Amino acid sequence: MNTIIILLVVIVVLVIAITNQNKFGAIPKGERFERIKKSPNFKDGKFQNLSETPQMSEEARFSTMLKELFFSKNKRPENPIPSIKTDLHALNPNEDVLVWFGHSSYFIQIDGKKILVDPVFSGSASPFSFNVKAFDGSNFYQPDNIPEIDYLVITHDHWDHLDYKTVLELRPKINNVITGLGVGAHFEKWGFETSKIVETDWFEDVLLDDGFRFYCTPARHFSGRSLKHKRSLWVSFLLETPGKKIFIGGDGGYDAHFKEIGKKYGPIDLAILENGQYNKAWKYIHMMPEQVLQAAVDLNAKRIFPVHSGKFALANHAWDEPLKRITELNKNTIPLVTPQIGELVYLNDTQQTFTKWWLNVDTQ
């Protein structure tokens, strides 16, 4: 019995030691927490979704999940992901472009501003570098390749959207951080100036420059970098520039908020929506491809850019299934933006076409 108690104490001490590392960030305190407590979305000590949102669906079975985890042989890329090395420092500043870095990381240059969303360049979507590693060929963009950034946008604090090593290396290049309530606690712990951090609640908006406004909109998801979840807010954004409206969807499941956003802000020029790392057991917190298409319709979007795939395997589906399914389901209803990693997307060219590059990748 004494041996078991000692072992449990050692495990607890190890967990505490690990989760107290800088990369795990910080829990909101002081004035930040006082503001959080005033949010209508914060109840019983945690942020809540607009609709009841269990993290596991009713049909989820623990035995099935274990079987999938240990015995599923879903396909992974056998050869490097095709990509293009665009020199972001040499871009024509008058062009409106987007460059995808895989998963949910992308760069937007629009109306003279440079925006970076959820960058993860460390090669792993996990607190441990040996776990959830990037596919070969998908991680050659690094912080050195990124120019000075006007607005760093972070949709929530999960490891595949907020990467400690990446933001630390990018810190000298970041002029402003735009994120949800509570996430700023991580950035302050990591040495970012408080004056550069803008934290928002759902249905708030922030005018940052002439013609540049971020509307903070809901998402149906959760947050947390360690054992404590839902202490910071997960968000989406409607970015309004002098010439465009772009929906930055972040991460999350389908719900009525998409239609509400579409009615309030549509039509939307480009909807960037999660499409990947899904599972029927997670149907409330991740969208299936058919729901992505419905969300785009609800948003009154002119084009869809499906992200959250192409770099990490966080679910048991085949790596290329999200792109295959959404292109098959779409039937040319709404134009799809499906660039290779690093390929220039011209935001003013609504006729731009893209190859089905994922078909040229062997799988194993």
Side-chain angles (χ1 to χ4, degrees):
M1 178 63 73
N2 286 340
T3 303
I4 294 173
I5 292 172
I6 291 170
L7 183 60
L8 288 173
V9 170
V10 169
I11 290 171
V12 169
V13 169
L14 280 173
V15 169
I16 292 172
I18 290 170
T19 55
N20 277 335
Q21 294 179 75
N22 254 5
K23 60 186 174 183
F24 283 86
I27 298 296
K29 297 177 181 177
E31 290 182 10
R32 176 173 282 110
F33 187 56
E34 290 303 312
R35 183 185 173 196
I36 284 172
K37 287 194 294 185
K38 295 175 183 176
S39 169
N41 306 303
F42 189 81
K43 299 172 186 175
D44 302 323
K46 295 180 180 181
F47 281 104
Q48 309 287 338
N49 283 291
L50 295 178
S51 300
E52 184 179 352
T53 304
Q55 289 188 216
M56 304 300 295
S57 65
E58 300 84 354
E59 62 262 39
R61 296 289 180 271
F62 186 66
S63 58
T64 303
M65 291 175 62
L66 282 178
K67 184 179 178 182
E68 286 183 354
L69 179 63
F70 290 107
F71 300 107
S72 290
K73 296 292 182 181
N74 283 321
K75 298 176 180 178
R76 300 291 182 260
E78 186 172 326
N79 49 310
I81 299 291
S83 55
I84 297 168
K85 192 61 177 284
T86 296
D87 186 351
L88 302 181
H89 295 280
L91 291 174
N92 180 346
N94 297 315
E95 283 193 316
D96 295 344
V97 295
L98 180 151
V99 176
W100 180 54
F101 305 120
H103 202 64
S104 292
S105 304
Y106 46 93
F107 167 87
I108 302 172
Q109 178 180 277
I110 186 166
D111 290 321
K113 299 294 184 183
K114 292 178 172 62
I115 299 161
L116 185 62
V117 179
D118 290 355
V120 178
F121 299 143
S122 68
S124 172
S126 161
F128 310 108
S129 59
F130 58 82
N131 193 32
V132 196
K133 295 180 73 65
F135 301 145
D136 189 16
S138 70
N139 197 55
F140 65 89
Y141 277 93
Q142 293 297 305
D144 283 349
N145 304 127
I146 305 300
E148 184 176 351
I149 296 298
D150 295 292
Y151 308 123
L152 172 66
V153 176
I154 300 295
T155 60
H156 63 299
D157 67 2
H158 283 160
W159 294 86
D160 59 323
H161 292 257
L162 176 54
D163 183 61
Y164 169 70
K165 183 175 184 292
T166 299
V167 299
L168 218 59
E169 291 181 31
L170 285 171
R171 187 174 60 193
K173 301 181 178 184
I174 304 300
N175 290 321
N176 298 281
V177 178
I178 315 297
T179 190
L181 289 181
V183 181
H186 302 314
F187 282 91
E188 282 194 5
K189 183 170 184 177
W190 298 338
F192 282 74
E193 296 175 27
T194 306
S195 60
K196 293 185 174 183
I197 303 168
V198 179
E199 295 173 80
T200 54
D201 199 355
W202 293 339
F203 306 113
E204 289 182 348
D205 63 273
V206 183
L207 179 65
L208 291 166
D209 208 336
D210 280 346
F212 273 83
R213 191 181 292 270
F214 281 89
Y215 296 90
C216 183
T217 49
R220 191 182 190 187
H221 200 51
F222 66 109
S223 64
R225 296 178 68 78
S226 59
L227 302 178
K228 295 182 178 180
H229 287 186
K230 301 180 181 178
R231 302 301 178 92
S232 63
L233 186 62
W234 49 99
V235 301
S236 59
F237 287 104
L238 190 286
L239 165 62
E240 186 175 46
T241 79
K244 291 278 186 297
K245 290 181 182 177
I246 297 176
F247 181 69
I248 297 171
D251 208 346
Y254 180 77
D255 206 1
H257 63 281
F258 290 112
K259 186 163 284 188
E260 183 178 354
I261 293 166
K263 285 181 179 177
K264 191 169 185 178
Y265 304 111
I268 291 168
D269 296 288
L270 178 66
I272 306 171
L273 293 166
E274 171 207 3
N275 176 56
Q277 319 321 313
Y278 48 74
N279 187 305
K280 288 182 179 178
W282 311 332
K283 68 180 183 180
Y284 295 114
I285 54 172
H286 288 283
M287 287 193 287
M288 306 296 280
E290 55 270 24
Q291 292 176 311
V292 176
L293 293 173
Q294 184 58 55
V297 171
D298 291 352
L299 288 166
N300 195 8
K302 298 176 183 178
R303 290 199 290 175
I304 315 170
F305 177 21
V307 298
H308 217 240
S309 67
K311 187 167 186 173
F312 302 113
L314 294 163
N316 281 324
H317 57 65
W319 81 274
D320 54 356
E321 181 186 296
L323 286 167
K324 284 183 175 178
R325 284 190 62 188
I326 199 163
T327 52
E328 290 167 359
L329 290 165
N330 188 42
K331 308 298 183 186
N332 297 318
T333 304
I334 303 177
L336 290 177
V337 174
T338 54
Q340 295 181 42
I341 290 173
E343 181 179 0
L344 278 173
V345 176
Y346 296 97
L347 295 173
N348 295 324
D349 183 3
T350 58
Q351 303 304 310
Q352 184 180 1
T353 58
F354 304 89
T355 63
K356 294 182 180 180
W357 55 267
W358 54 91
L359 299 179
N360 299 322
V361 181
D362 294 328
T363 55
Q364 58 182 0

